Amino acid sequence: MKEFNATDYIQHHLTFLTKPVGEGGFWALNVDSLVTALVVGMLGMGLVWWVVRGAVSGVPNRRQAFVELACEFVDDQVKGVFHHEGRERFLAPAALTVFLWVLLMNAMDFLPVDIMAWLLESVFHVHEFRLVPTADVNTTFALALSVWLLMIWFSIAAKGLGGWIHELFCAPFGSNPLLWPANLMFNFIEYVSKPLSHSLRLFGNMYAGEIIFLLLWLLAATGIFGTILAVILGLGWAIFHILIVVLQAYIFMMLTVVYISMAHEHH
């Protein structure tokens, strides 16, 4: 029997539950990322819906007060960036949804990977299952591309199709036909860089956090001293990681608001 080592351990926890789509193996779905994202999304939005549905006009309870604070916080952030009409109809609710969803997906990194792996294998007979959807670049790219498509949609809605195309060729250097290639290249780079930076920032931070947790658990397997050191370092990293989890959700939300707000600007 092959001896289990550190490489096996890390590879095991970094292997997705992947199912191919069709024949040929070109398309595949990371079932673990999809299932976890859907479950935490429905739980988070369901909890907010449940609290709002039972809201009272008098003194709120703790649940209602927490949801109201979250809604007011997000609305204030959107109000500071988006200076156009219709904020409350789409952008503020969308920003709240993005913030809560990304926050919950990031927070899955706090679950103990070995205990969860044992539980999933014992109950569902699943050997590979990654619990942090935002540590999957496919998830972060899907979110970023959704925001990117919304950005283009709102840009066309605000300026018209002709106005949007005119902006692609005539901004920022001017409308002289000789400058059209430079303008188009400049805008092409901008349009490509937005989803790349939007997705890779979130993915990189969450993937790095996942790796550090795995390395700390490996340290605990080296003996008594390693276990004590891993507990101390793990506690410190977990506390610091709370900031990373919340901050990355906030940054992703704010970039979503900024990109959609920029789509309404005329050049």
Side-chain angles (χ1 to χ4, degrees):
M1 183 175 179
K2 183 180 178 181
E3 184 180 354
F4 187 81
N5 54 39
T7 302
D8 295 329
Y9 176 82
I10 292 178
Q11 287 181 347
H12 171 72
H13 285 299
L14 294 183
T15 302
F16 291 103
L17 177 60
T18 303
K19 297 296 182 183
V21 178
E23 298 180 358
F26 181 76
W27 295 102
L29 296 176
N30 289 341
V31 179
D32 41 11
S33 296
L34 289 171
V35 170
T36 307
L38 288 173
V39 169
V40 298
M42 289 189 293
L43 287 176
M45 295 303 105
L47 177 62
V48 172
W49 173 83
W50 174 61
V51 172
V52 171
R53 190 168 179 264
V56 296
S57 58
V59 178
N61 55 32
R62 294 180 180 180
R63 294 189 301 271
Q64 182 178 335
F66 175 78
V67 171
E68 288 179 355
L69 286 174
C71 292
E72 290 177 5
F73 168 75
V74 172
D75 189 58
D76 288 341
Q77 302 305 307
V78 175
K79 191 185 302 182
V81 176
F82 188 78
H83 306 294
H84 308 277
E85 295 182 356
R87 180 192 79 252
E88 67 283 352
R89 288 199 303 270
F90 177 80
L91 190 54
L96 179 64
T97 301
V98 168
F99 177 70
L100 290 178
W101 196 16
V102 174
L103 178 64
L104 291 173
M105 288 192 289
N106 291 350
M108 297 301 290
D109 208 10
F110 293 117
L111 295 177
V113 291
D114 292 311
I115 295 177
M116 295 305 299
W118 171 81
L119 183 63
L120 288 167
E121 188 169 352
S122 301
V123 177
F124 300 103
H125 306 289
V126 175
H127 301 287
E128 290 89 16
F129 199 96
R130 292 184 64 176
L131 286 168
V132 189
T134 44
D136 180 1
V137 72
N138 298 285
T139 302
T140 58
F141 258 108
L143 293 171
L145 286 175
S146 299
V147 174
W148 185 75
L149 291 174
L150 285 172
M151 179 187 68
I152 294 176
W153 167 263
F154 280 107
S155 185
I156 295 175
K159 305 162 190 173
L161 180 59
W164 179 65
I165 295 175
H166 178 270
E167 186 177 272
L168 289 178
F169 284 90
C170 300
F173 302 121
S175 57
N176 190 309
L178 295 176
L179 297 175
W180 287 1
N183 288 326
L184 184 61
M185 181 59 66
F186 183 89
N187 285 295
F188 174 77
I189 294 173
E190 181 181 0
Y191 271 91
V192 170
S193 64
K194 283 179 179 178
L196 285 175
S197 62
H198 202 189
S199 59
L200 293 178
R201 179 184 291 106
L202 176 60
F203 163 72
N205 280 277
M206 298 313 301
Y207 183 78
E210 194 175 32
I211 291 293
I212 291 176
F213 273 124
L214 290 176
L215 293 176
L216 288 173
W217 308 150
L218 280 175
L219 178 62
T222 60
I224 297 298
F225 177 75
T227 301
I228 296 173
L229 186 59
V231 169
I232 296 173
L233 293 177
L235 179 61
W237 176 246
I239 295 173
F240 179 70
H241 201 59
I242 294 174
L243 175 63
I244 296 176
V245 163
V246 177
L247 184 61
Q248 288 305 312
Y250 174 77
I251 291 174
F252 197 92
M253 176 198 73
M254 288 305 300
L255 286 176
T256 299
V257 174
V258 168
Y259 290 160
I260 294 179
S261 179
M262 290 173 61
H264 287 76
E265 302 295 335
H266 293 267
H267 299 284

